[in-house]
Amino acid sequence: MNVSRIAVAGGLALSSVALLSGPAFAHVSVQPQGEAAKGGYATVNVKVPNERDNASTVKVEVNFPADHPLASVMPQPVPGWKAVVTKSALAKPLELHGKKITQAVTKVTWTSDGAKIGAGQFQQFPLSLGQLPEDTDQLVLKAVQTYDNNEVVRWIEEPKEGAAEPQNPAPVLKLSAATGDHHGGGAAADDKAGHDDKAAHAEAADSTDTPARVLGVVGILVGVAGVAFGVLAGRRRSA
């Protein structure tokens, strides 16, 4: 009897763990690859997990807010996926680098071109965004996920501060305070990395060059000593 009770309890515990650790808690999200500062540029990843055990994701659509338009949204090529950028006319043109922008990106759609996101997998879709708005702390990027069994999941519910997470929360990109560098942290970081790399190479060259010089001097001294020894030996034989 006790064995049966233990078996039932164990089964319930395993079921609870499976439910808690299942894919229901995974959702489409957006993650910065660097600093997403107001007024700057950023590279972000749209992370799309597959939540179904019997279907694969074949299409992902990310929508950009009309009240905070972005003049530039560039997708990085992802093998096996075709990206299409959709633009719409702006009611109020934007000024960007001295130019008047009359259109903004409203949507990016990735469609399977041979690849799929299978069960227990996720895919990241990199985007370069800019110029980021300065009058908001976040961008809500509503997403739509389509499976190969024609099921559509809409990640469009905006999370509210202090409230429970909605069932299908929309991806949210948090924006930090402006840094003054409107070209974003990525370029500066790359530039710094380049300088650091050059310095490291120079230091490595110096550290390699020093032993070489020492060995060269030692070789010269050994050579001179050999010549002197040969001369002395010759004199002794002559004597």
Side-chain angles (χ1 to χ4, degrees):
M1 188 69 175
N2 289 336
V3 174
S4 299
R5 289 180 179 177
I6 292 172
V8 171
L12 290 174
L14 288 174
S15 299
S16 299
V17 171
L19 287 172
L20 290 174
S21 60
F25 290 89
H27 51 264
V28 177
S29 60
V30 59
Q31 303 170 340
Q33 288 186 342
E35 184 179 7
K38 297 178 182 180
Y41 293 78
T43 300
V44 303
N45 274 327
V46 178
K47 183 179 179 181
V48 183
N50 194 85
E51 292 193 312
R52 302 293 180 261
D53 295 328
N54 59 349
S56 299
T57 299
V58 293
K59 184 179 178 181
V60 177
E61 177 183 304
V62 174
N63 296 274
F64 295 87
D67 54 345
H68 298 293
L70 297 177
S72 175
V73 176
M74 294 187 296
Q76 179 176 313
V78 177
W81 294 86
K82 180 183 179 182
V84 175
V85 178
T86 302
K87 294 185 177 182
S88 298
L90 290 171
K92 182 181 179 181
L94 295 174
E95 289 288 338
L96 185 63
H97 302 308
K99 295 182 180 180
K100 184 176 289 187
I101 307 298
T102 58
Q103 289 185 325
V105 174
T106 54
K107 180 173 61 177
V108 176
T109 305
W110 291 270
T111 306
S112 172
D113 191 20
K116 294 182 179 182
I117 309 173
Q121 299 177 340
F122 74 91
Q123 176 66 55
Q124 297 191 98
F125 299 94
L127 288 172
S128 175
L129 308 179
Q131 185 172 353
L132 296 174
E134 300 184 56
D135 57 349
T136 183
D137 295 326
Q138 64 181 29
L139 288 177
V140 179
L141 310 178
K142 297 181 179 181
V144 179
Q145 182 177 12
T146 303
Y147 291 87
D148 57 6
N149 62 356
N150 295 324
E151 180 185 3
V152 177
V153 180
R154 303 181 185 278
W155 304 96
I156 60 174
E157 299 176 60
E158 185 173 348
K160 302 294 183 182
E161 187 174 353
E165 184 178 70
Q167 183 176 356
N168 293 320
V172 176
L173 175 63
K174 299 290 186 180
L175 302 180
S176 62
T179 61
D181 178 13
H182 282 191
H183 291 286
D190 291 342
D191 187 52
K192 182 179 183 300
H195 286 298
D196 290 346
D197 189 50
K198 290 179 182 178
H201 281 298
E203 184 177 353
D206 288 343
S207 62
T208 304
D209 192 43
T210 299
R213 291 177 181 174
V214 172
L215 290 174
V217 173
V218 171
I220 292 173
L221 292 176
V222 170
V224 171
V227 172
F229 179 79
V231 172
L232 291 174
R235 288 180 179 179
R236 285 177 181 176
R237 289 174 184 174
S238 299

Short mmCIF file of all heavy atoms in Angstrom, two decimals, residues 29-87:
data_model
loop_
_atom_site.label_atom_id
_atom_site.label_comp_id
_atom_site.label_asym_id
_atom_site.label_seq_id
_atom_site.Cartn_x
_atom_site.Cartn_y
_atom_site.Cartn_z
N SER A 29 11.07 37.05 -27.76
CA SER A 29 11.64 38.17 -27.01
C SER A 29 12.67 38.89 -27.88
O SER A 29 13.07 38.39 -28.94
CB SER A 29 12.30 37.67 -25.71
OG SER A 29 13.34 36.75 -26.01
N VAL A 30 13.07 40.07 -27.43
CA VAL A 30 14.11 40.83 -28.12
C VAL A 30 15.22 41.12 -27.13
O VAL A 30 14.96 41.53 -26.00
CB VAL A 30 13.54 42.14 -28.74
CG1 VAL A 30 12.93 43.04 -27.69
CG2 VAL A 30 14.61 42.87 -29.52
N GLN A 31 16.45 40.87 -27.56
CA GLN A 31 17.60 40.99 -26.66
C GLN A 31 18.69 41.82 -27.31
O GLN A 31 19.14 41.50 -28.41
CB GLN A 31 18.14 39.60 -26.32
CG GLN A 31 17.10 38.69 -25.69
CD GLN A 31 17.56 37.25 -25.58
OE1 GLN A 31 18.48 36.83 -26.28
NE2 GLN A 31 16.94 36.49 -24.71
N PRO A 32 19.14 42.87 -26.64
CA PRO A 32 20.24 43.67 -27.21
C PRO A 32 21.52 42.87 -27.28
O PRO A 32 21.82 42.08 -26.40
CB PRO A 32 20.37 44.83 -26.22
CG PRO A 32 19.10 44.84 -25.43
CD PRO A 32 18.64 43.42 -25.38
N GLN A 33 22.30 43.12 -28.34
CA GLN A 33 23.65 42.57 -28.44
C GLN A 33 24.66 43.58 -27.88
O GLN A 33 25.83 43.29 -27.74
CB GLN A 33 24.01 42.26 -29.89
CG GLN A 33 23.28 41.04 -30.44
CD GLN A 33 23.77 40.67 -31.82
OE1 GLN A 33 24.41 41.48 -32.50
NE2 GLN A 33 23.48 39.47 -32.26
N GLY A 34 24.20 44.75 -27.62
CA GLY A 34 25.06 45.78 -27.06
C GLY A 34 24.20 46.76 -26.31
O GLY A 34 23.16 46.40 -25.76
N GLU A 35 24.59 48.01 -26.29
CA GLU A 35 23.84 49.03 -25.57
C GLU A 35 22.76 49.62 -26.47
O GLU A 35 23.03 50.09 -27.56
CB GLU A 35 24.78 50.14 -25.09
CG GLU A 35 24.07 51.19 -24.25
CD GLU A 35 25.03 52.27 -23.77
OE1 GLU A 35 26.18 52.25 -24.21
OE2 GLU A 35 24.61 53.11 -22.97
N ALA A 36 21.51 49.58 -25.99
CA ALA A 36 20.40 50.17 -26.73
C ALA A 36 20.09 51.51 -26.08
O ALA A 36 19.25 51.61 -25.18
CB ALA A 36 19.18 49.26 -26.71
N ALA A 37 20.79 52.54 -26.49
CA ALA A 37 20.67 53.86 -25.88
C ALA A 37 19.74 54.75 -26.70
O ALA A 37 19.69 54.67 -27.93
CB ALA A 37 22.04 54.52 -25.75
N LYS A 38 19.01 55.59 -26.00
CA LYS A 38 18.11 56.53 -26.67
C LYS A 38 18.90 57.41 -27.65
O LYS A 38 19.98 57.89 -27.32
CB LYS A 38 17.42 57.41 -25.63
CG LYS A 38 16.52 56.65 -24.66
CD LYS A 38 15.92 57.60 -23.64
CE LYS A 38 15.05 56.86 -22.63
NZ LYS A 38 14.46 57.78 -21.62
N GLY A 39 18.32 57.62 -28.82
CA GLY A 39 18.96 58.49 -29.80
C GLY A 39 20.10 57.83 -30.55
O GLY A 39 20.70 58.46 -31.43
N GLY A 40 20.41 56.58 -30.24
CA GLY A 40 21.53 55.92 -30.89
C GLY A 40 21.09 54.79 -31.81
O GLY A 40 19.94 54.74 -32.26
N TYR A 41 22.02 53.90 -32.10
CA TYR A 41 21.77 52.75 -32.94
C TYR A 41 22.11 51.49 -32.14
O TYR A 41 22.95 51.52 -31.25
CB TYR A 41 22.61 52.80 -34.22
CG TYR A 41 22.23 53.93 -35.14
CD1 TYR A 41 22.64 55.24 -34.89
CD2 TYR A 41 21.45 53.70 -36.27
CE1 TYR A 41 22.27 56.28 -35.72
CE2 TYR A 41 21.08 54.74 -37.12
CZ TYR A 41 21.50 56.03 -36.84
OH TYR A 41 21.13 57.06 -37.67
N ALA A 42 21.48 50.39 -32.46
CA ALA A 42 21.72 49.15 -31.72
C ALA A 42 21.49 47.95 -32.62
O ALA A 42 20.71 48.00 -33.58
CB ALA A 42 20.81 49.07 -30.50
N THR A 43 22.20 46.88 -32.31
CA THR A 43 21.95 45.59 -32.94
C THR A 43 21.27 44.71 -31.92
O THR A 43 21.77 44.53 -30.80
CB THR A 43 23.26 44.94 -33.41
OG1 THR A 43 23.90 45.79 -34.35
CG2 THR A 43 22.99 43.60 -34.06
N VAL A 44 20.12 44.16 -32.28
CA VAL A 44 19.34 43.34 -31.35
C VAL A 44 19.03 41.99 -32.00
O VAL A 44 19.13 41.82 -33.22
CB VAL A 44 18.02 44.03 -30.95
CG1 VAL A 44 18.31 45.39 -30.33
CG2 VAL A 44 17.08 44.17 -32.14
N ASN A 45 18.68 41.02 -31.16
CA ASN A 45 18.27 39.71 -31.62
C ASN A 45 16.80 39.49 -31.29
O ASN A 45 16.40 39.67 -30.14
CB ASN A 45 19.08 38.60 -30.95
CG ASN A 45 20.39 38.33 -31.67
OD1 ASN A 45 20.46 38.45 -32.89
ND2 ASN A 45 21.42 37.97 -30.93
N VAL A 46 16.02 39.10 -32.28
CA VAL A 46 14.66 38.63 -32.02
C VAL A 46 14.78 37.12 -31.80
O VAL A 46 15.12 36.37 -32.72
CB VAL A 46 13.71 38.93 -33.19
CG1 VAL A 46 12.32 38.39 -32.90
CG2 VAL A 46 13.66 40.44 -33.44
N LYS A 47 14.54 36.68 -30.56
CA LYS A 47 14.69 35.27 -30.20
C LYS A 47 13.33 34.58 -30.27
O LYS A 47 12.40 34.97 -29.58
CB LYS A 47 15.28 35.15 -28.80
CG LYS A 47 15.55 33.72 -28.36
CD LYS A 47 16.17 33.69 -26.98
CE LYS A 47 16.43 32.26 -26.52
NZ LYS A 47 17.00 32.23 -25.15
N VAL A 48 13.25 33.56 -31.10
CA VAL A 48 11.97 32.86 -31.33
C VAL A 48 12.10 31.39 -30.95
O VAL A 48 12.73 30.61 -31.68
CB VAL A 48 11.53 32.99 -32.80
CG1 VAL A 48 10.17 32.33 -33.01
CG2 VAL A 48 11.50 34.45 -33.24
N PRO A 49 11.53 30.98 -29.82
CA PRO A 49 11.53 29.56 -29.46
C PRO A 49 10.33 28.85 -30.08
O PRO A 49 9.31 29.47 -30.36
CB PRO A 49 11.40 29.60 -27.93
CG PRO A 49 10.64 30.86 -27.65
CD PRO A 49 11.00 31.84 -28.75
N ASN A 50 10.47 27.57 -30.32
CA ASN A 50 9.35 26.77 -30.82
C ASN A 50 8.64 26.14 -29.63
O ASN A 50 9.24 25.41 -28.85
CB ASN A 50 9.85 25.68 -31.77
CG ASN A 50 8.72 25.06 -32.57
OD1 ASN A 50 8.34 25.59 -33.61
ND2 ASN A 50 8.17 23.97 -32.10
N GLU A 51 7.36 26.43 -29.49
CA GLU A 51 6.61 25.97 -28.32
C GLU A 51 5.78 24.71 -28.57
O GLU A 51 5.10 24.24 -27.67
CB GLU A 51 5.67 27.08 -27.83
CG GLU A 51 6.37 28.28 -27.25
CD GLU A 51 5.39 29.17 -26.51
OE1 GLU A 51 4.34 29.48 -27.09
OE2 GLU A 51 5.68 29.53 -25.37
N ARG A 52 5.82 24.18 -29.76
CA ARG A 52 4.98 23.04 -30.09
C ARG A 52 5.83 21.78 -30.30
O ARG A 52 6.91 21.83 -30.87
CB ARG A 52 4.16 23.33 -31.34
CG ARG A 52 3.26 24.56 -31.22
CD ARG A 52 2.17 24.34 -30.20
NE ARG A 52 1.30 25.51 -30.08
CZ ARG A 52 1.43 26.42 -29.12
NH1 ARG A 52 2.39 26.32 -28.21
NH2 ARG A 52 0.59 27.45 -29.06
N ASP A 53 5.29 20.66 -29.83
CA ASP A 53 5.98 19.39 -30.02
C ASP A 53 5.62 18.72 -31.34
O ASP A 53 6.33 17.82 -31.80
CB ASP A 53 5.64 18.42 -28.87
CG ASP A 53 6.16 18.92 -27.54
OD1 ASP A 53 7.21 19.58 -27.52
OD2 ASP A 53 5.50 18.65 -26.50
N ASN A 54 4.53 19.18 -31.95
CA ASN A 54 4.05 18.52 -33.17
C ASN A 54 4.04 19.45 -34.38
O ASN A 54 3.40 19.16 -35.39
CB ASN A 54 2.63 17.98 -32.94
CG ASN A 54 1.65 19.08 -32.54
OD1 ASN A 54 2.06 20.21 -32.24
ND2 ASN A 54 0.37 18.77 -32.54
N ALA A 55 4.73 20.58 -34.29
CA ALA A 55 4.76 21.54 -35.41
C ALA A 55 6.05 22.35 -35.34
O ALA A 55 6.68 22.48 -34.28
CB ALA A 55 3.54 22.45 -35.38
N SER A 56 6.44 22.91 -36.49
CA SER A 56 7.64 23.75 -36.58
C SER A 56 7.27 25.16 -36.99
O SER A 56 6.30 25.37 -37.73
CB SER A 56 8.62 23.16 -37.61
OG SER A 56 9.05 21.87 -37.22
N THR A 57 8.05 26.12 -36.53
CA THR A 57 7.82 27.53 -36.89
C THR A 57 8.37 27.79 -38.29
O THR A 57 9.52 27.47 -38.58
CB THR A 57 8.50 28.47 -35.89
OG1 THR A 57 7.94 28.24 -34.60
CG2 THR A 57 8.29 29.92 -36.28
N VAL A 58 7.55 28.39 -39.15
CA VAL A 58 7.96 28.65 -40.53
C VAL A 58 7.85 30.13 -40.91
O VAL A 58 8.25 30.51 -42.01
CB VAL A 58 7.13 27.81 -41.52
CG1 VAL A 58 7.45 26.32 -41.36
CG2 VAL A 58 5.64 28.07 -41.34
N LYS A 59 7.33 30.95 -40.00
CA LYS A 59 7.19 32.38 -40.31
C LYS A 59 7.17 33.19 -39.02
O LYS A 59 6.55 32.80 -38.04
CB LYS A 59 5.89 32.62 -41.10
CG LYS A 59 5.70 34.05 -41.56
CD LYS A 59 4.39 34.18 -42.36
CE LYS A 59 4.12 35.60 -42.82
NZ LYS A 59 2.85 35.71 -43.56
N VAL A 60 7.89 34.32 -39.06
CA VAL A 60 7.94 35.23 -37.91
C VAL A 60 7.78 36.65 -38.42
O VAL A 60 8.45 37.07 -39.37
CB VAL A 60 9.27 35.10 -37.14
CG1 VAL A 60 9.32 36.10 -35.99
CG2 VAL A 60 9.47 33.69 -36.62
N GLU A 61 6.89 37.38 -37.77
CA GLU A 61 6.63 38.77 -38.17
C GLU A 61 6.80 39.67 -36.95
O GLU A 61 6.23 39.40 -35.89
CB GLU A 61 5.21 38.88 -38.71
CG GLU A 61 4.77 40.28 -39.08
CD GLU A 61 3.32 40.29 -39.53
OE1 GLU A 61 2.98 39.54 -40.47
OE2 GLU A 61 2.51 41.02 -38.93
N VAL A 62 7.59 40.72 -37.09
CA VAL A 62 7.81 41.68 -36.00
C VAL A 62 7.34 43.06 -36.47
O VAL A 62 7.77 43.55 -37.52
CB VAL A 62 9.29 41.73 -35.58
CG1 VAL A 62 9.51 42.84 -34.56
CG2 VAL A 62 9.72 40.40 -34.99
N ASN A 63 6.45 43.66 -35.69
CA ASN A 63 5.88 44.97 -36.03
C ASN A 63 6.50 46.07 -35.17
O ASN A 63 6.74 45.88 -33.97
CB ASN A 63 4.37 44.94 -35.82
CG ASN A 63 3.68 43.96 -36.76
OD1 ASN A 63 3.35 44.29 -37.88
ND2 ASN A 63 3.48 42.74 -36.28
N PHE A 64 6.73 47.23 -35.78
CA PHE A 64 7.35 48.35 -35.09
C PHE A 64 6.31 49.44 -34.81
O PHE A 64 5.43 49.69 -35.63
CB PHE A 64 8.51 48.90 -35.93
CG PHE A 64 9.63 47.91 -36.08
CD1 PHE A 64 9.60 46.98 -37.11
CD2 PHE A 64 10.68 47.87 -35.18
CE1 PHE A 64 10.61 46.04 -37.25
CE2 PHE A 64 11.69 46.94 -35.31
CZ PHE A 64 11.66 46.02 -36.34
N PRO A 65 6.41 50.09 -33.64
CA PRO A 65 5.39 51.05 -33.24
C PRO A 65 5.35 52.28 -34.14
O PRO A 65 6.39 52.85 -34.47
CB PRO A 65 5.80 51.42 -31.80
CG PRO A 65 7.26 51.11 -31.72
CD PRO A 65 7.48 49.95 -32.63
N ALA A 66 4.14 52.69 -34.49
CA ALA A 66 3.97 53.87 -35.35
C ALA A 66 4.22 55.17 -34.60
O ALA A 66 4.59 56.18 -35.20
CB ALA A 66 2.57 53.87 -35.95
N ASP A 67 4.04 55.15 -33.26
CA ASP A 67 4.23 56.38 -32.50
C ASP A 67 5.70 56.68 -32.21
O ASP A 67 6.04 57.78 -31.78
CB ASP A 67 3.44 56.32 -31.18
CG ASP A 67 3.76 55.09 -30.36
OD1 ASP A 67 4.37 54.15 -30.91
OD2 ASP A 67 3.41 55.06 -29.17
N HIS A 68 6.57 55.71 -32.44
CA HIS A 68 8.02 55.93 -32.30
C HIS A 68 8.70 55.31 -33.52
O HIS A 68 9.36 54.27 -33.43
CB HIS A 68 8.55 55.31 -31.01
CG HIS A 68 7.96 55.89 -29.77
ND1 HIS A 68 8.19 57.20 -29.37
CD2 HIS A 68 7.12 55.37 -28.86
CE1 HIS A 68 7.54 57.43 -28.24
NE2 HIS A 68 6.88 56.35 -27.92
N PRO A 69 8.55 55.93 -34.70
CA PRO A 69 9.02 55.32 -35.95
C PRO A 69 10.54 55.22 -36.03
O PRO A 69 11.27 56.06 -35.49
CB PRO A 69 8.47 56.26 -37.02
CG PRO A 69 8.30 57.58 -36.32
CD PRO A 69 7.93 57.25 -34.91
N LEU A 70 10.99 54.19 -36.71
CA LEU A 70 12.42 53.98 -36.95
C LEU A 70 12.69 54.11 -38.45
O LEU A 70 12.06 53.44 -39.26
CB LEU A 70 12.85 52.59 -36.47
CG LEU A 70 12.70 52.30 -34.98
CD1 LEU A 70 13.09 50.86 -34.69
CD2 LEU A 70 13.54 53.25 -34.14
N ALA A 71 13.63 54.98 -38.79
CA ALA A 71 13.93 55.21 -40.20
C ALA A 71 14.74 54.06 -40.79
O ALA A 71 14.68 53.77 -41.99
CB ALA A 71 14.68 56.52 -40.37
N SER A 72 15.53 53.39 -39.94
CA SER A 72 16.42 52.35 -40.44
C SER A 72 16.23 51.06 -39.64
O SER A 72 16.44 51.05 -38.42
CB SER A 72 17.89 52.80 -40.36
OG SER A 72 18.76 51.76 -40.74
N VAL A 73 15.84 50.00 -40.32
CA VAL A 73 15.77 48.65 -39.74
C VAL A 73 16.36 47.70 -40.78
O VAL A 73 15.79 47.52 -41.85
CB VAL A 73 14.33 48.24 -39.39
CG1 VAL A 73 14.31 46.80 -38.88
CG2 VAL A 73 13.74 49.18 -38.35
N MET A 74 17.51 47.11 -40.48
CA MET A 74 18.18 46.23 -41.44
C MET A 74 18.35 44.84 -40.85
O MET A 74 19.02 44.68 -39.82
CB MET A 74 19.55 46.80 -41.82
CG MET A 74 19.47 48.11 -42.59
SD MET A 74 21.11 48.65 -43.18
CE MET A 74 21.95 48.94 -41.63
N PRO A 75 17.75 43.82 -41.47
CA PRO A 75 17.92 42.45 -40.99
C PRO A 75 19.24 41.85 -41.47
O PRO A 75 19.67 42.10 -42.60
CB PRO A 75 16.73 41.71 -41.60
CG PRO A 75 16.41 42.49 -42.84
CD PRO A 75 16.77 43.92 -42.57
N GLN A 76 19.88 41.10 -40.60
CA GLN A 76 21.07 40.36 -41.00
C GLN A 76 20.62 39.06 -41.65
O GLN A 76 19.70 38.40 -41.16
CB GLN A 76 21.94 40.05 -39.77
CG GLN A 76 23.19 39.24 -40.09
CD GLN A 76 24.05 39.04 -38.86
OE1 GLN A 76 24.31 39.97 -38.12
NE2 GLN A 76 24.49 37.82 -38.63
N PRO A 77 21.25 38.66 -42.75
CA PRO A 77 20.83 37.42 -43.42
C PRO A 77 20.94 36.22 -42.46
O PRO A 77 21.92 36.07 -41.75
CB PRO A 77 21.82 37.29 -44.58
CG PRO A 77 22.28 38.69 -44.85
CD PRO A 77 22.31 39.37 -43.51
N VAL A 78 19.90 35.40 -42.46
CA VAL A 78 19.87 34.17 -41.68
C VAL A 78 19.70 33.01 -42.65
O VAL A 78 18.72 32.98 -43.40
CB VAL A 78 18.72 34.19 -40.65
CG1 VAL A 78 18.67 32.88 -39.89
CG2 VAL A 78 18.88 35.36 -39.70
N PRO A 79 20.64 32.09 -42.69
CA PRO A 79 20.55 30.97 -43.64
C PRO A 79 19.22 30.23 -43.51
O PRO A 79 18.78 29.87 -42.42
CB PRO A 79 21.72 30.07 -43.23
CG PRO A 79 22.71 31.00 -42.58
CD PRO A 79 21.87 32.02 -41.86
N GLY A 80 18.58 30.00 -44.66
CA GLY A 80 17.33 29.25 -44.68
C GLY A 80 16.10 30.09 -44.44
O GLY A 80 14.98 29.56 -44.40
N TRP A 81 16.28 31.44 -44.32
CA TRP A 81 15.15 32.32 -44.07
C TRP A 81 15.22 33.51 -45.02
O TRP A 81 16.29 34.04 -45.29
CB TRP A 81 15.14 32.82 -42.62
CG TRP A 81 14.91 31.72 -41.62
CD1 TRP A 81 15.85 30.91 -41.08
CD2 TRP A 81 13.66 31.31 -41.08
NE1 TRP A 81 15.28 30.02 -40.23
CE2 TRP A 81 13.93 30.23 -40.20
CE3 TRP A 81 12.34 31.73 -41.25
CZ2 TRP A 81 12.91 29.58 -39.49
CZ3 TRP A 81 11.33 31.08 -40.54
CH2 TRP A 81 11.62 30.03 -39.67
N LYS A 82 14.04 33.93 -45.50
CA LYS A 82 13.94 35.10 -46.37
C LYS A 82 13.32 36.25 -45.58
O LYS A 82 12.24 36.10 -45.00
CB LYS A 82 13.08 34.79 -47.59
CG LYS A 82 12.91 35.96 -48.55
CD LYS A 82 12.00 35.60 -49.70
CE LYS A 82 11.80 36.78 -50.65
NZ LYS A 82 10.88 36.44 -51.77
N ALA A 83 14.01 37.38 -45.54
CA ALA A 83 13.53 38.55 -44.79
C ALA A 83 12.98 39.60 -45.73
O ALA A 83 13.59 39.92 -46.76
CB ALA A 83 14.66 39.14 -43.95
N VAL A 84 11.81 40.15 -45.37
CA VAL A 84 11.19 41.22 -46.15
C VAL A 84 10.90 42.39 -45.20
O VAL A 84 10.27 42.21 -44.16
CB VAL A 84 9.88 40.75 -46.81
CG1 VAL A 84 9.18 41.91 -47.50
CG2 VAL A 84 10.15 39.63 -47.80
N VAL A 85 11.37 43.58 -45.57
CA VAL A 85 11.17 44.79 -44.77
C VAL A 85 10.03 45.60 -45.39
O VAL A 85 10.07 45.92 -46.59
CB VAL A 85 12.45 45.64 -44.70
CG1 VAL A 85 12.21 46.92 -43.91
CG2 VAL A 85 13.59 44.84 -44.07
N THR A 86 9.04 45.94 -44.59
CA THR A 86 7.88 46.72 -45.06
C THR A 86 7.95 48.13 -44.49
O THR A 86 8.14 48.31 -43.29
CB THR A 86 6.56 46.05 -44.63
OG1 THR A 86 6.53 44.72 -45.13
CG2 THR A 86 5.37 46.83 -45.14
N LYS A 87 7.79 49.13 -45.38
CA LYS A 87 7.80 50.53 -44.96
C LYS A 87 6.45 51.18 -45.24
O LYS A 87 5.72 50.75 -46.14
CB LYS A 87 8.89 51.31 -45.70
CG LYS A 87 10.31 50.89 -45.34
CD LYS A 87 11.33 51.79 -46.02
CE LYS A 87 12.75 51.43 -45.61
NZ LYS A 87 13.74 52.35 -46.24
#
